[in-house]
Structures are given as structure tokens and as C-alpha cells.
Amino acid sequence: MNQGFLPQLHSDMDRRPLEPETEFIVKIHDVNDNEPRFPKEVYMATVPERSNAGTSVIRVMAEDADDEMFGLAAKLVYSISQGHPYFSVEPSTGIIRTALGPDEMDRERREHYQVVIEAKDMGGQRGGLTGSTVVNISLTDVNDNPPRFINRIYQFNVAESAEVGAPIGRIRAVDPDIGKNAEMDFTIVGGEGQDVFDITTDKITQEGILAVKKPLDYEKKKSYDLHIQVQNPQLDVRFLALGTKDTAMVRVTVDDVDEPPVFDRFSYIMEVKENAPVGTAVSSVSAMDPDIKHSPVRYSIDRRTDPDRLFNVHAGNGSIFLLKTLDREESAWHNISVIAAEFNNPQQTSRVPVYIRVLDVNDNAPKLASFHETFVCDNAKPGQKIHTITAEDADDPIGGHRFLFTLALEGSVKPNFTLKDNQNNTASLFTRRAGYGRLQQSAFLVPVVISDGEYPMLSSTGTLTVRVCACTRDGNMEMCSAEPLSSSAGLSTGALVAILLCVIILLLIVVLFAALKRQKKKEPLIISKEDVRDNVVSYNDEGGGEEDTQAFDIGALRHPEVMEDGGKQRRDILPPETLYPPPPLRRVPPHTPTSRNNADVRDFINQRVQENDSNPTAPPYDSLATYAYEGNGSVAESLSSLGTASSEGEQDYNYLSEWGPRFRKLADMYGGEDSDRDS
């Protein structure tokens, strides 16, 4: 700090300075009044265990507020006051280093150290000020210790019924290291049961778990001696000389257990013919008690697998035989389960599956396939193929089916069709002649004999229905007989129910209609028997013309009441809007009976004509006559063809089919032969 002083002389009259101002520079000299200070009061540091002497751990530096330009007030020197003889510090830099060799710096013996570092100014001379800090140093672990078994021999017991994978016991080893350096790996390196047992490591507890690898059998081997090894999976090459692994012996004793019987196979496959009689032995199963005492075994069939009781097994020797005959067509395989139980301890049981195959026997005759109907065109040509016949057989021969097709004996006499065996389990049906009259015969029945090629040979006769249908020139069916071709597919249950409901509804409608019809009062058409004009007269025979006077009584037309009541209105026609009175009848002289009769009839007819002409709404009928027989003596000849003489010569009318559909019916009526009706 610089300060200046300028004296001034003053007078009362004049205040001017007597001499000029002067500047003074004042320097303040620093003294050692500040001690060194560390930024932290406590430092944390680590160093690997077994480090060499002089390994750097951490550097600590202090600060001094004094001016380092004046003397040694800010010159610091570091020293260690606590932590000997493990660590040291460099006086000028403050770097802390290890002071002992690797054998002395062992984490397993001591892990944590507290070191006190001092910083002194004045270059460490007497009178200097001192500051200190604490450094906590920890030794980090290295893998310098191998795992060690606690015991040299371990003893375990296991039941022979233990399942594969079941644990037997735990083997413990210790390792002073921590973390990954303490992880262990257990292995079986020798002994009698390397393939029978297995050992793994529990990753949490780092224990070895001994388990069963294969099934045990007390009767075969009662104990095993194993050599177990343990080591760290991660090794430090610097410490291999200290050892990396340890071994121990494990003795496993197998305990005897009462075991269930054991079958000599895991499953059985048997065969039997479907025609085998009851009591036939199929095959046998075998089981035995694996225990030393060898208890006898009883056999039985699990009836849940044989609900129909088709099989049985001999309780003593395990022989399986038939209780019922088998049918391969119903079931080709039977899967049953046989149970074996100890005679002395029935609770000890075991079971085995038995698969029984039913061998085929030729016991079913072949038959036609489901479709038994076809059609032939009425204009078919000779030798034309109309259908391919197939067959089916419930049997299943080893070499496959071989069917033979022939016409039955009754169908080979005057046959209308021929049959050809195609040698591939099918047959073809051909026409034998030209033209099949649909009106003469609408269907033909063709019996076909089908035989199989197995031993013994079986055959059956099936009937193929061939319907005659009208076809185009290209052979496409246009119209067939009234009976449609049956479908190969049967009606479903839903369709049958629907048909039944429709029939019931129709019956109810008919019953209701009949009841209403009974209640309805029907007004008769004819009011009076005497009213001839309103009668409906039916004739069962036709009169003989003018010569027949017995067929119709002309006198009824000349009834007096009819003549007088000619103006009555008819009841079977609608009443006209305007009625015109009929003209008076003209009469002929009574001396001529024939003229009078003709006049009466003529007047009656004229009256009816006039009546209908004047009423356009009336129907044009006077009476209804039915003629079913033509009388003798009529001038007109008979139109019936029953008595017409026909030519005995054979004529071919098939050419009419070529003229079109209108002439096809004539061809059906006059074409064909009498022998065509025989199939």
C-alpha cells in the first residue's frame, strides 16, 4: 500500500501550497499466517490386492493462501502420519503408493486401510504450518484363491424308484474370493457312475447339485463312488501356481424299493383273423417283479379300453384270447391295455398298450356300386355304350380287388344289352339292337353277376335298371318315363322330417275340407223330376241312328206340362236382363202322327234356339249326354281300331324318329317287336 503526505502552510490571507505534491510507495511484506488446506476432508481410493510395491493409489494436493513469491511460506511438503508400513506418499507430489509386496497386500486378510496425509509449508522446516486429510483405501479382489471342498468324502442315499432328474443332494465348496472370482463349476471326473449321475451348479448359492441321470436298479447295483471336481470358471494366469481346482469323493447308496412289475416290451402288436372262433389265442404279454423277492404277477384287461368285452387275458401266463368273434369291416384295429399286478401287493401295478390288428378274410361278396340306374335313348344305335358298371367290396385283400362281371343266366336269353368286362374292376353295358320303344316298354332290368378273385370266391347278382328316354340326335336326354331315375344319395334326416311335416299338413287340410263339405248344404240342380228341360241326362250307349227308337223316348219332349210351362226360366243359367217370350208352338194336324212328332221336336228346338239367341249370357247347352258305346245299325261306320284288320307283315317305323319329335310317338306306337319286352 502506498501513502503520501504533503504538508501545507496556510495563512489567513493566502491558501496556496508552498511546495508541489510528492508520491510515496509503501510495500507490505507477507508473513506465514495461512496453513495448508486440502479440498476434501476425506478421500476414497481403491487398489487391487496383491499389487506390487510402489503401485500408485491416489494423489492428494493441498493449497496455501500465502504468497509463494516471498520465502517458503507457500512451499508445501507431504508426509504420511498414519498408514505405515502399507503405504507411502511422495513429499513433493502427494502421490500415495503401496509400500509392501504382493504377499502383504491380501484382501482376504485385510481389506480396508485408513491413511492420514499431512501437508506442511515452509518446505517442511520447523515453524511451518500443517494441514491434514484422511484417505480411505480398499483392496479390490482378484482371483487368487481356488475353491475348496469342505469335506473330502460326501455320502448320499437315493431310492431306486427316483425319477430321472430327481436331486440327490448338495455339495458345498468355499472360495475366499468374492463376486465373479467366487463362481464355481462342479463336474464328475471319475468313478463308477459317470453316466448314471449328473452334477450342476446352483448359480445363487454356488453349490453343486447331484441328480439322477438314468434309472436306478437296486437289484443290479447298490452303490456308486464318484469323483467330483470344482474350480473357478474364470482364472487369473498370475495365480495359476497357487492352484485352480479341488476334488472330493461322493458315495451314493441305492435303497431298495418295492417296485411294480415290469413288462418286457413298451407295447405289443398282435394279429388275428376276423373269422377266428371264440377262445382263439391271439398272443401273450409278459411281466415280472424286478425286486429280489420276485413276487408272482397277475394279468387283467382294463375294461375301459375294451367295453365290448371282445378279449380276455389269462391271469397267470398273460395269454390273450377272444371272447367274441371279430369283424374287420366293423373295426380293423383294437387297442386295449393289459394290467400286471403283484400277487402279494396288488397296489403295485403297471400297464402296457396292446394293439390288435384284425386280418381280412374274404367273407363279403362284391356288389354293385350305390348307383343302380341308367338310361338308354329310344333312338340308340346297336353297340352303343350306355353305362359303366362299378362294384364295391367290404373286404380288403392284400393284392387289391379283382372283380369279374357277367350277365346272369336269366338276362342272357334274348338279351337287349350286352356286357363287356373291362378287366379293370369295371364293366361296360352296350346296346344290342337299334331303337327302344318307350311306349312299348319304359324300363329294362339287367341282372349282372359280380365275382371276386379271392379264395373262396364269392359272387352276388345285382340288377341294373335301364330306363328308356327320349333323346336328341346328339344323345342328350330330353324326356324320360314317369318314374325318375333314383339318386344315389339318400335323403337326410332333415329332409325326411320336412316331408313328414308336409304330409301331416296335407292330411289336416283334407280333413278340414271334408268337414266343411259335410256342413255345406248343396242345392240340387234339378228342382222337379218333371222339368225335362233342366234335367241332365246321361247316356251309356249311343242310339242306332234314325232306326233306333228305343234309345230316347221322344214322348218326354211332348209332355203337357212342358208345353204349357214353356216360358219358365232355366235354373242352370244366369237370368237375362230382358226376357223375350218364346214364340207359340206350331202344331201339325193330328191325323199325321209322324208329322206331329217332327213338328213338336222342331218347335221345341226352335224355342230353345230363340231363348239362347235372345240371352247372350246363357251358355250354349241344352243337355249333357255321355256316349260310351256306339250302337249297331248306324249309318256312320265305327271309329274304333279294335276290330281293324292289321297287316301281318313286319314294317320298320323307326325312320319316323328322323322326322322330328311330332312323329316320334308314331314310331313308339308302331315300332319295336314283341320280343323287346323280354330283358
Side-chain angles (χ1 to χ4, degrees):
M1 177 183 290
N2 297 325
Q3 297 180 355
F5 176 75
L6 179 63
Q8 297 180 359
L9 297 176
H10 301 281
S11 63
D12 296 335
M13 299 298 295
D14 190 5
R15 293 186 181 274
R16 293 180 296 177
L18 297 178
E19 50 184 53
E21 295 180 354
T22 304
E23 182 179 350
F24 295 92
I25 298 174
V26 179
K27 292 183 178 182
I28 301 174
H29 293 278
D30 185 30
V31 296
N32 188 17
D33 58 350
N34 292 283
E35 62 183 12
R37 294 182 180 277
F38 288 93
K40 297 180 181 180
E41 294 183 0
V42 178
Y43 288 85
M44 305 297 296
T46 60
V47 62
E49 65 171 329
R50 294 189 178 276
S51 298
N52 295 325
T55 302
S56 175
V57 179
I58 191 175
R59 181 182 183 182
V60 293
M61 296 183 65
E63 298 178 353
D64 196 332
D66 295 331
D67 191 357
E68 61 181 6
M69 299 302 295
F70 293 92
L72 301 175
K75 185 175 179 58
L76 303 180
V77 175
Y78 299 95
S79 62
I80 183 170
S81 63
Q82 181 180 336
H84 291 292
Y86 303 102
F87 301 94
S88 62
V89 63
E90 293 182 356
S92 58
T93 61
I95 297 176
I96 302 174
R97 299 180 181 274
T98 59
L100 298 179
D103 295 337
E104 302 298 332
M105 303 299 291
D106 190 359
R107 187 200 65 82
E108 285 73 31
R109 288 187 295 178
R110 183 176 179 180
E111 183 177 1
H112 302 288
Y113 297 87
Q114 190 177 67
V115 179
V116 178
I117 302 298
E118 292 182 351
K120 189 175 183 181
D121 57 8
M122 298 301 292
Q125 296 180 7
R126 180 178 297 181
L129 299 178
T130 303
S132 63
T133 185
V134 176
V135 180
N136 292 326
I137 301 175
S138 299
L139 300 182
T140 58
D141 185 62
V142 296
N143 192 10
D144 58 340
N145 295 282
R148 302 294 179 186
F149 286 107
I150 298 177
N151 301 319
R152 307 317 301 175
I153 299 177
Y154 294 86
Q155 180 73 35
F156 297 102
N157 288 71
V158 60
E160 63 172 332
S161 60
E163 297 180 356
V164 174
I168 299 175
R170 290 175 173 260
I171 301 174
R172 185 185 177 191
V174 295
D175 190 338
D177 297 325
I178 59 175
K180 291 185 177 181
N181 297 324
E183 293 180 356
M184 303 180 192
D185 188 9
F186 293 87
T187 55
I188 300 176
V189 296
E192 301 171 321
Q194 297 186 54
D195 58 339
V196 180
F197 301 95
D198 191 16
I199 189 169
T200 57
T201 303
D202 189 336
K203 298 301 181 182
I204 299 177
T205 62
Q206 298 300 320
E207 294 176 328
I209 303 175
L210 188 65
V212 179
K213 187 177 181 181
K214 288 184 178 181
L216 304 176
D217 191 351
Y218 172 83
E219 288 70 27
K220 293 182 179 179
K221 192 169 181 61
K222 299 178 177 58
S223 64
Y224 297 88
D225 291 332
L226 306 174
H227 295 287
I228 307 298
Q229 175 182 283
V230 62
Q231 65 178 359
N232 298 126
Q234 298 180 357
L235 302 177
D236 195 332
V237 295
R238 297 177 300 171
F239 309 105
L240 294 179
L242 300 177
T244 59
K245 61 188 67 174
D246 193 16
T247 59
M249 187 180 73
V250 178
R251 176 165 296 171
V252 180
T253 302
V254 181
D255 296 333
D256 187 23
V257 176
D258 189 6
E259 299 174 280
V262 177
F263 286 92
D264 58 354
R265 300 181 189 176
F266 294 106
S267 63
Y268 293 85
I269 299 178
M270 305 177 182
E271 295 180 347
V272 61
K273 291 185 177 181
E274 63 176 322
N275 61 351
V278 175
T280 301
V282 180
S283 187
S284 62
V285 297
S286 178
M288 63 174 297
D289 183 10
D291 298 323
I292 297 179
K293 56 186 179 181
H294 293 301
S295 174
V297 177
R298 279 183 72 91
Y299 300 95
S300 62
I301 292 180
D302 186 354
R303 289 304 172 187
R304 293 175 298 180
T305 62
D306 183 25
D308 297 330
R309 302 185 69 87
L310 301 176
F311 305 94
N312 202 358
V313 61
H314 192 280
N317 57 22
S319 177
I320 299 176
F321 56 92
L322 298 179
L323 289 179
K324 297 179 181 179
T325 56
L326 305 179
D327 188 358
R328 190 204 64 85
E329 285 69 39
E330 292 183 1
S331 180
W333 285 88
H334 297 276
N335 304 331
I336 64 175
S337 180
V338 177
I339 302 173
E342 290 186 9
F343 188 83
N344 298 329
N345 187 6
Q347 286 74 24
Q348 293 294 334
T349 61
S350 60
R351 61 184 60 225
V352 65
V354 178
Y355 308 102
I356 302 176
R357 178 185 179 186
V358 183
L359 300 179
D360 183 50
V361 174
N362 190 27
D363 56 350
N364 291 276
K367 59 182 180 179
L368 287 178
S370 57
F371 190 73
H372 297 166
E373 293 188 359
T374 186
F375 73 94
V376 62
C377 294
D378 53 0
N379 58 355
K381 302 294 189 298
Q384 182 177 345
K385 179 180 177 181
I386 62 172
H387 187 65
T388 299
I389 302 174
T390 59
E392 58 186 13
D393 194 339
D395 295 324
D396 186 17
I398 298 177
H401 292 291
R402 177 64 183 94
F403 298 133
L404 303 176
F405 299 87
T406 57
L407 284 177
L409 182 61
E410 59 271 20
S412 60
V413 179
K414 292 184 180 181
N416 293 280
F417 304 94
T418 59
L419 186 68
K420 177 184 176 183
D421 194 333
N422 297 326
Q423 303 298 321
N424 59 355
N425 293 337
T426 63
S428 299
L429 188 66
F430 295 89
T431 58
R432 192 171 181 271
R433 58 182 174 81
Y436 292 84
R438 187 163 58 89
L439 297 180
Q440 296 176 357
Q441 187 168 351
S442 62
F444 297 91
L445 301 179
V446 181
V448 180
V449 178
I450 309 171
S451 304
D452 56 20
E454 298 299 314
Y455 179 82
M457 181 178 291
L458 300 178
S459 62
S460 65
T461 301
T463 301
L464 181 66
T465 302
V466 182
R467 300 195 180 277
V468 182
C469 303
C471 302
T472 62
R473 292 184 178 181
D474 299 334
N476 298 323
M477 181 177 63
E478 286 184 338
M479 180 177 60
C480 208
S481 58
E483 297 180 3
L485 297 178
S486 61
S487 175
S488 60
L491 293 177
S492 61
T493 304
L496 293 176
V497 173
I499 293 174
L500 183 60
L501 291 177
C502 293
V503 171
I504 294 175
I505 293 174
L506 291 176
L507 290 177
L508 292 177
I509 293 175
V510 171
V511 172
L512 181 61
F513 180 76
L516 293 176
K517 191 173 182 180
R518 290 195 189 96
Q519 296 178 1
K520 183 177 179 181
K521 294 182 179 180
K522 185 176 180 181
E523 184 179 358
L525 180 62
I526 301 174
I527 302 301
S528 175
K529 295 182 180 179
E530 305 298 333
D531 192 356
V532 180
R533 294 169 299 174
D534 295 330
N535 285 342
V536 178
V537 183
S538 299
Y539 297 91
N540 292 328
D541 57 352
E542 183 180 355
E546 292 80 359
E547 300 178 5
D548 188 1
T549 59
Q550 301 299 326
F552 186 82
D553 186 6
I554 198 66
L557 299 176
R558 294 182 285 101
H559 198 280
E561 295 182 4
V562 176
M563 305 297 290
E564 296 173 1
D565 197 17
K568 283 187 179 181
Q569 184 179 355
R570 291 176 56 187
R571 300 178 61 87
D572 58 340
I573 62 174
L574 294 175
E577 296 180 359
T578 304
L579 297 177
Y580 296 91
L585 296 176
R586 292 179 297 173
R587 303 196 179 266
V588 297
H591 62 275
T592 308
T594 305
S595 301
R596 181 179 178 180
N597 292 338
N598 295 335
D600 293 340
V601 174
R602 182 169 55 253
D603 292 340
F604 178 79
I605 293 174
N606 291 333
Q607 180 181 354
R608 285 287 182 259
V609 171
Q610 181 65 30
E611 185 178 331
N612 283 276
D613 291 340
S614 63
N615 185 11
T617 61
Y621 56 82
D622 298 322
S623 62
L624 177 63
T626 301
Y627 301 93
Y629 176 77
E630 182 178 357
N632 296 326
S634 176
V635 178
E637 295 181 358
S638 175
L639 298 178
S640 175
S641 61
L642 298 177
T644 304
S646 60
S647 175
E648 296 296 330
E650 297 182 359
Q651 297 186 21
D652 186 10
Y653 293 94
N654 292 328
Y655 68 93
L656 294 176
S657 299
E658 305 294 335
W659 291 7
R662 296 183 178 180
F663 295 92
R664 189 172 291 112
K665 285 191 175 182
L666 292 176
D668 294 340
M669 294 172 58
Y670 296 101
E673 300 173 0
D674 295 337
S675 62
D676 295 344
R677 300 180 181 273
D678 299 327
S679 59

